[in-house]
Amino acid sequence: MADPRATPGKLPPKTVLYLLIGSGVLVLFVLLGIIPMQKSLHEHDRQIEQAKFHIEEQNALHPIYMRMLTIAQAGGAKAPKLPEKQSLGQKAVSEITDSLAQLIVATGLEAQSVVPDPGSLGRGSKSLAVNIHVKGSLEKFRVFLGELAMQPTFENIEKVQIGPGSGPRDCTLTVWLASE
C-alpha cells in the first residue's frame, strides 16, 4: 500500500476536514466580526463629520450672535416706521418700471430687467406682479429688499431666485404691488 502523503493531488481526509473547519471559522470571523465593525466605524465617521460641521457652523454664527446679544442688551434695535399703504394709480402703473429701476440703481445693483405683468391685473385683481432681474452682491440685494419693503405700494414677494457662485450674483424676484 502506498503512503497517502506520497500521492500528489490527493489530501488525506483529516487534512481536508481541518481545512474546511479552518476556512469556515475564518469566514465566520470575517462575516460576524470584521464586517459589522467596518459598518460601525463608517457610522462613527459620519457622526464625527456631522459634529465637525455643526462646530464650524457654530463658530461662524457666534460673532453674529454676540452682536445681536449686545444690541438686545442695549435696549434692542428700533424698527423703521413703515409708510402708509397706498395703491398705484393708472399713471403710476405706467411709470413703475422707471421708479423700480431707479430704486435698484440707488441701492447699488445693476438692473437687468424690470417687467410688469399686465395679466396679473385681470379678473378684478387689485395687485400688479412685477418680475425683477438684478445683478450685484448679496449685501446690496438685501438693502434693495429692505428699500422695496418700505415702498408704500409694496404687498409681498412671491418668489426669489439667487444664482450660485461668489461675488456679483444674478437675482430674480417676483414682487406684488397694490394697484387700483
Side-chain angles (χ1 to χ4, degrees), residues 15-58:
T15 305
V16 172
L17 182 63
Y18 291 148
L19 280 174
L20 286 176
I21 291 172
S23 298
V25 167
L26 185 62
V27 167
L28 282 175
F29 177 73
V30 168
L31 290 177
L32 298 177
I34 295 177
I35 292 176
M37 186 175 16
Q38 284 289 4
K39 288 181 181 178
S40 174
L41 288 175
H42 285 297
E43 178 64 23
H44 288 310
D45 286 343
R46 189 184 63 76
Q47 290 174 353
I48 288 170
E49 288 300 318
Q50 281 182 335
K52 283 181 183 178
F53 174 75
H54 288 302
I55 289 170
E56 290 172 5
E57 185 178 51
Q58 292 300 316

Side-chain angles (χ1 to χ4, degrees), residues 74-86:
K78 304 295 183 229
K81 186 173 182 336
L82 294 175
E84 190 71 30
K85 293 295 180 187
Q86 53 184 305

Side-chain angles (χ1 to χ4, degrees), residues 161-173:
Q161 289 181 310
I162 299 176
S166 61
R169 295 185 185 189
D170 285 326
C171 305
T172 306
L173 63 149

Side-chain angles (χ1 to χ4, degrees), residues 86-108:
Q86 53 184 305
S87 298
L88 290 169
Q90 288 289 27
K91 184 179 178 193
V93 168
S94 63
E95 297 172 354
I96 193 66
T97 303
D98 293 332
S99 62
L100 285 176
Q102 289 174 358
L103 180 66
I104 292 167
V105 171
T107 56

